[in-house]
Amino acid sequence: MSAAYTGPDTEARIAALREVAQELNATANQVVLAWMMHRQPPLLPAFSGGRPEHMQENLGALDLTLSTDQMAKFNNAGHCVNEEPN
């Protein structure tokens, strides 16, 4: 992972991502896209797939429903005081 995308909370966020992905039997990519769409306000992800299987994986995020507990797990993983409130 590029140093530009890491910080003191990186490990906590990746641990939460892996845990939820395992719970949902989904890929980490699918869970991140689902989380973006479940946020309030939702973020609309823009993605592409260089190969058909990448696009199929991305579209699998539409079939995921994140529970309130799973959303809280992401929103609070490594949460920094200066970030936006939950």
Side-chain angles (χ1 to χ4, degrees):
M1 180 178 300
S2 170
Y5 298 109
T6 61
D9 59 352
T10 300
E11 288 184 30
R13 290 179 189 262
I14 289 176
L17 174 60
R18 288 182 176 149
E19 185 178 335
V20 173
Q22 185 174 22
E23 289 171 6
L24 295 173
N25 194 32
T27 68
N29 186 50
Q30 289 171 328
V31 173
V32 168
L33 293 171
W35 172 78
M36 291 172 71
M37 293 182 290
H38 282 79
R39 283 180 41 116
Q40 291 303 317
L43 299 172
L44 301 176
F47 59 82
S48 66
R51 298 158 87 186
E53 56 268 22
H54 295 162
M55 185 60 77
Q56 195 64 34
E57 178 188 0
N58 290 339
L59 292 173
L62 296 171
D63 297 326
L64 297 181
T65 300
L66 301 176
S67 71
T68 302
D69 288 342
Q70 290 166 331
M71 288 297 293
K73 197 175 295 185
F74 280 130
N75 293 338
N76 296 320
H79 188 73
C80 297
V81 175
N82 294 330
E83 290 183 353
E84 65 185 74
N86 293 339

